[in-house]
Amino acid sequence: EFGHLPVGINLLTTGDFDYCVLNPPLMNALSALPVVALQSPPTDPAWSLGTDRKYEFWDNGYVFMVRRAADYQKLFVASRCVTVLIGVLLGVLLFFWARLFEVRRPALAGLLAAGMTWFSPNILAHARLVTTDVGAAFFIALSLFCFHLFLNRSNTRRMLLAGVTLGLAQLVKCTALFLYPVLIVL
């Protein structure tokens, strides 16, 4: 967890994508938004590990932890709120999606889908961490939902929405590459 936040902060304050070596940058940047809003951008270089280890993910996490020891917990609590919000949005998305499949009791289907999502042990464990897992679940589900809408009633607007959400999923986690064969089969 502690390596993702410094990557997002560095990306938002310097625009340097070189620190995004393990994961695509979107979720790290979203998680860093409240931290950047709470503090002014640093005037000194973000990291000083030497040229051969400058972009090391875990090393930068340790450097960030040491440099921000005074407000480390406050920064992570603010950042974790983004992941919690995305976990809530995942349940809301699945609530509306499940309603489309049940004609007799759509509200019950939606509540079951949202409840199973929100109380899933995996979501409960990962929604409180500054990582890409819950973001990947949300953006992949959003991409599949928008593609489902496009398949049900094809038009240019829905096609663009499906394409944009597919791109957003790609910007969160490399696992979203599996969407391409899934969407081809669908």
Side-chain angles (χ1 to χ4, degrees), residues 125-137:
H126 291 276
R128 63 183 186 90
L129 299 174
V130 182
T131 62
T132 58
D133 299 322
V134 172

Side-chain angles (χ1 to χ4, degrees), residues 97 139-152 158-170 175-186:
W97 198 357
F139 283 104
I140 288 171
L142 181 64
S143 177
L144 290 169
F145 175 70
C146 291
F147 192 72
H148 170 79
L149 293 177
F150 168 69
L151 290 178
N152 282 341
R158 288 186 179 202
M159 180 184 64
L160 290 174
L161 184 62
V164 166
T165 55
L166 176 63
L168 289 173
Q170 302 301 307
T175 310
L177 288 172
F178 289 113
L179 280 171
Y180 290 105
V182 169
L183 296 180
I184 289 171
V185 169
L186 290 176

Side-chain angles (χ1 to χ4, degrees), residues 6 10 14 16 19 42-68:
N10 188 65
T14 67
D16 186 2
Y19 289 90
T43 55
D44 60 334
W47 328 109
S48 63
L49 296 174
T51 56
D52 59 333
R53 299 177 62 97
K54 181 178 178 186
Y55 299 116
E56 291 292 323
F57 183 79
W58 300 113
D59 291 344
N60 287 328
Y62 286 115
V63 170
F64 181 78
M65 182 172 55
V66 170
R67 288 193 176 175
R68 305 295 178 136

